Amino acid sequence: MTPEQTATLSAVVDTIVPADEYPSGTEAGVLHYLDQQAGVHADYGVGLDAIEAEARERYGASFPLLPYERREALLRDLEAGATRTPWPLDAAVFVSTVVGHVMEGFYGDPGNGGNLDAVSWRMIGFEVRG
């Protein structure tokens, strides 16, 4: 992925899992998780470029530079299939897929590269018992 696509992906991840009293998705290692998964990036570059085009069309700014509320609204629209620019793939499917991958990276087994220090498990009160 290009540096611009990586910046857009980081902003997408942190829009899906924003920081609160717990770390954001990127802080919890979701990008590392995504990088470790074979096949995850097959359509990511194209989809991230399309998200960027949507942000520029709607708001005149790069997706990572938008305020959280606008990023969230844009992703919700795209997940509903509401696009304003031509998409080379199905926007709703792409965003839903990315949301699923982010959830895997945030809530999954830390041994898979995300959920650093089992932060999401602590957040939901999950304890591993031997």
Side-chain angles (χ1 to χ4, degrees), residues 66-128:
L66 296 175
Y68 172 82
E69 294 76 17
R70 286 194 170 175
R71 292 192 323 254
E72 181 182 38
L74 178 56
L75 291 178
R76 286 185 187 277
D77 284 352
L78 296 176
E79 192 171 29
T83 62
R84 294 186 187 172
T85 62
W87 273 67
L89 43 82
D90 186 304
V93 170
F94 177 73
V95 173
S96 294
T97 300
V98 172
V99 168
H101 291 159
V102 169
M103 293 299 100
E104 290 172 10
F106 190 73
Y107 290 106
D109 186 324
N112 292 328
N115 192 10
L116 294 178
D117 300 321
V119 66
S120 71
W121 289 2
R122 287 193 316 275
M123 180 180 77
I124 63 173
F126 178 75
E127 295 180 33
V128 177

Side-chain angles (χ1 to χ4, degrees), residues 36-81:
Q36 300 297 316
Q37 303 308 306
V40 165
H41 297 292
D43 290 323
Y44 266 45
V46 172
L48 294 167
D49 289 344
I51 288 174
E52 181 66 18
E54 286 286 334
R56 290 184 183 280
E57 169 69 23
R58 292 175 189 220
Y59 302 115
S62 178
F63 186 83
L65 299 178
L66 296 175
Y68 172 82
E69 294 76 17
R70 286 194 170 175
R71 292 192 323 254
E72 181 182 38
L74 178 56
L75 291 178
R76 286 185 187 277
D77 284 352
L78 296 176
E79 192 171 29

